[in-house]
Amino acid sequence: MSKLYVVGIGPGDLDHMTFQANEALDAADAVVGYKTYLDLINPLIAGKEIVSSGMMKEVERCREALDLAASGKTVALVSSGDAGIYGMAGLALELAAEMAAPPEIVVVPGVSAVQAAAAVLGAPLMHDFAVISLSDLLTPWDLIKRRLGAAAEADFVVALYNPRSKGRVQQIEEARRILLSARPADTPVGIVRNALREGEERVVTTLGRMLDHPIDMFSLVIVGNSATFVDPAGRMVTPRGYKAGTGDRGPGTRKKQKNAVDEHLSDSPPQILNSRSPVPGPRSLMIVGTASDVGKSVLTAGICRILKNRGLRVAPFKSQNMALNSAVTPEGGEIGRAQAVQAAACGIPPHVDMNPILLKPSSDTGSQVIVAGEVVGNMSVREYHAYKPVAFERVRESFDRLSSAHDFVVIEGAGSIAEINLKAHDIANLKVAEMAGCRAILVADIDRGGVFAQIVGTMELLEPAERERIAGIVINKFRGDPSLLAPGIEFVEKRTGVPVLGVVPCFTGFRIPEEDSVALEKRKTGSGERGTTAGERLNIGVVKLSRISNYTDFDALEGEPDVRLTYVEGADQLRGLDLLIIPGSKATTTDLYFLMERGLFEAIRAFRGPIVGICGGYQMLGKRVSDPHAVESGIREAEGLGLLDVVTVMLEKKTTHQARAELLPAGYQVAPRCRGELEGYEIHMGETILGPSVRPFARATERSGRAVEVLDGAVSCDGRVFGTYLHGIFDNAGFRSAFLNKLRRAKGLDERPAAEVQDDPFDLLAAHLEKHLDMDRLLAICGLAR
């Protein structure tokens, strides 16, 4: 008789599979499952017929397994964890009931995720417990809330499956609120990510502080009951009652354990996060400016590294960022690139709480609004002003989480703090300092001239309460002898009553990625080696689009000593280029018309050298870009440059991932002898379809930490033109070296290895600032002793 095994393979490590599961897989002729799970058991299924599919294909997978079994084959349908707990067993039995002649179905149990997580945490499930999934894809959220409330009131230990995803961030917050209504904030909570498999992470915290820690779809959260405690080794224990007086205790009985819990959380083993006692003092500092592009982002990064080097857990924060130069967090959220850079200075991964509101201008009067890493829509200035009270609540929530999880938060302001017409709607400057209860340092840019007028004028335009928040002034980007500024500094300090903390010279010898295209105005060309002629170097042009985004993609190219990089604004600048790059754009169809208006459209078509398109630039290289939902602009369709046989359709859902990829054969044509995996990130609205006369450039193997197989980019038949959605591709030293060396060989230049990695730029920046700032005063403003 035909047979279908529904096999629970456990948490993923082969050591935790049952003997029966191994025997079922060995007996199977065919194995059906989600590709990621099949990869985990690949050594056990070699040589068998494999049927794999992606996420959200459970019904199709199950039907295929049943059909194969009904045809006479022995089939194993693979399910992670236990097949009968949020697994495939129930669906298999439901669908089999509809068949005229169903196969025999054998359910093979496995170690469930909740068992795996409990083992990692200690013994939190020793008494009655409830398991609740927070995913509302198949269960109404109102019903999930009722179940949470009932479990909380009944004093069950509660295990939460599917606690948070990229598109589902509020459910875990609501679940915590419901649980807090029935049990105290010091209730122990365990968070386990990738339980019993590679990449395992474990956190023991409390119900009141659980949201201070990363939680995602790879996590399982266990919330203790009134008897659960944390032992001296940091393990969660829920007593069963074997010892007299230890079982079924009321909510007040954990008082005996409270001191032990507090001691554990303040002095716990390395795997327990949030272990440092908070530093005394204000716990935050704000860096504000007299204008945009005065150096706030860089100074914020430097101060973050200074405090990190003093042993503090530091995080950056910018409530509202307006920038087309964005970054992607490990969870797939989108934030301003400056905050990702500042997170690197702090030595921590970027998180959407570091920049809860991101505005990406799509026109002169409107922007795409991104909240907590997700697009909420396009808004005009008037619409966004009306939305700001909602936005500021998200700002407050994000700051509270960051502040609770770190010793210190360095906050960056936006633009000028003295814009009188904007102050009534301020959610980015001194209103944030007021919210945080912190002092601020005012930064002025001497390089643009009139620095003393900048400082005094800004201070004069502030209200008395606002002026009180300014604790120090920094004069930035100085060139020359600082002693010449002494009379002006004396005047400023006397006029404003605020000390000047230092004069910071222009940074040399290193570079921090800039935030957005405000700084691009000052950078028309790169340098290249001194004394070289156009024939002795590589001349690379980047088209300066009207909505250019993520131009930091090309910083690594500028770091190559024989590269001269130019930002192209007219057709005449294409002459003599060895490579032309079309960068990303916030409004692809709009920028296609921009190319036509500037006379660049036909000039690019006529350009005979190599051409690269990144993201929006890749879309422009195709035959057509359609925007049926008007997600980027009012232009519904635009003719592309026609240099690649692809067409792009804009979708309403934005794709945002940190990504890994591997070159395909056409990619090796572009970068011969390239070695190693590619890393980068994706931020795009469209889907691009390849025609017969191009080949895919690469294959994405991982997105936001999840294994995938997705084709990326396109390469022309002759290899002259290629496009990719992978931002940061030139940051990969192996690819950059192989790609540039192909250009060098074509020009008769010597090949070069990739530019050597310099010393950590953040440590260089920190040393630079410490040399030129009054550190005793700065640390005192931060509430810290030197």
Side-chain angles (χ1 to χ4, degrees), residues 247-495:
D248 293 322
R249 298 172 294 177
T253 59
R254 197 170 55 250
K255 290 180 180 178
K256 294 179 182 179
Q257 268 80 30
K258 187 174 189 308
N259 290 339
V261 174
D262 288 345
E263 180 181 352
H264 166 70
L265 289 176
S266 64
D267 187 20
S268 52
Q271 70 268 29
I272 308 299
L273 302 182
N274 223 7
S275 60
R276 186 194 301 273
S277 300
V279 296
R283 290 173 52 86
S284 56
L285 173 72
M286 190 165 194
I287 310 301
V288 297
T290 57
S292 295
D293 192 38
V294 298
K296 298 186 296 294
S297 297
V298 176
L299 262 68
T300 298
I303 292 172
C304 283
R305 178 53 64 93
I306 287 171
L307 298 181
K308 175 186 181 294
N309 287 345
R310 281 166 169 73
L312 298 177
R313 296 175 306 171
V314 190
F317 182 74
K318 184 167 184 173
S319 60
Q320 174 188 281
N321 207 338
M322 179 175 284
L324 291 177
N325 214 6
S326 58
V328 178
T329 68
E331 297 79 19
E334 188 176 2
I335 64 172
R337 172 148 293 276
Q339 280 62 64
V341 170
Q342 292 157 3
C346 296
I348 57 178
H351 190 275
V352 295
D353 279 341
M354 297 173 184
N355 177 210
I357 310 296
L358 174 62
L359 306 178
K360 301 190 79 171
S362 54
S363 68
D364 292 338
T365 58
S367 295
Q368 185 183 73
V369 180
I370 297 167
V371 179
E374 295 283 345
V375 176
V376 299
N378 291 291
M379 299 185 192
S380 67
V381 173
R382 186 180 298 276
E383 289 168 334
Y384 182 62
H385 280 332
Y387 180 76
K388 275 187 175 179
V390 176
F392 193 65
E393 282 307 305
R394 302 304 296 272
V395 167
R396 190 187 304 276
E397 292 165 5
S398 290
F399 178 79
D400 287 347
R401 284 191 291 266
L402 277 183
S403 183
S404 297
H406 297 84
D407 298 329
F408 205 88
V409 179
V410 185
I411 308 168
E412 181 188 344
S416 166
I417 56 172
E419 300 287 356
I420 297 172
N421 57 314
L422 300 178
K423 284 171 64 174
H425 302 283
D426 173 36
I427 66 169
N429 280 310
L430 292 177
K431 184 176 180 180
V432 177
E434 180 183 0
M435 175 198 75
C438 70
R439 306 296 295 278
I441 291 175
L442 179 66
V443 181
D445 176 6
I446 195 171
D447 196 42
R448 66 177 62 198
V451 69
F452 301 121
Q454 288 178 49
I455 296 168
V456 174
T458 296
M459 294 295 291
E460 290 289 335
L461 290 173
L462 299 181
E463 300 296 328
E466 294 173 325
R467 284 197 292 272
E468 285 296 315
R469 291 214 174 267
I470 308 300
I473 296 166
V474 172
I475 296 175
N476 198 21
K477 304 183 186 180
F478 182 69
R479 306 172 195 272
D481 181 357
S483 65
L484 299 176
L485 300 179
I489 290 173
E490 182 180 354
F491 169 81
V492 164
E493 290 183 329
K494 184 176 180 180
R495 178 68 177 261

Side-chain angles (χ1 to χ4, degrees), residues 120-124 188-190 202-205 229-237 260-261 263-265 267-273:
V120 172
L121 291 169
V189 170
R202 165 188 180 268
V203 173
V204 174
T205 181
F229 66 93
V230 180
D231 74 4
R235 296 170 296 212
M236 284 178 68
V237 181
V261 174
E263 180 181 352
H264 166 70
L265 289 176
D267 187 20
S268 52
Q271 70 268 29
I272 308 299
L273 302 182

Side-chain angles (χ1 to χ4, degrees), residues 672-688:
R673 302 199 296 271
C674 176
R675 296 290 181 269
E677 191 176 49
L678 302 179
E679 294 184 358
Y681 60 98
E682 296 179 57
I683 307 176
H684 58 91
M685 299 294 292
E687 179 178 348
T688 299

Side-chain angles (χ1 to χ4, degrees), residues 29 70 73 157 200 207 320 331 378 391 438 442 451 501 518 578 604 625 744-745:
D29 302 311
K73 294 182 178 181
V157 174
E200 177 186 290
L207 185 58
Q320 174 188 281
E331 297 79 19
N378 291 291
C438 70
L442 179 66
V451 69
L501 302 180
V518 174
D578 301 304
I604 293 171
V625 179
R744 291 176 180 123
R745 288 192 297 273

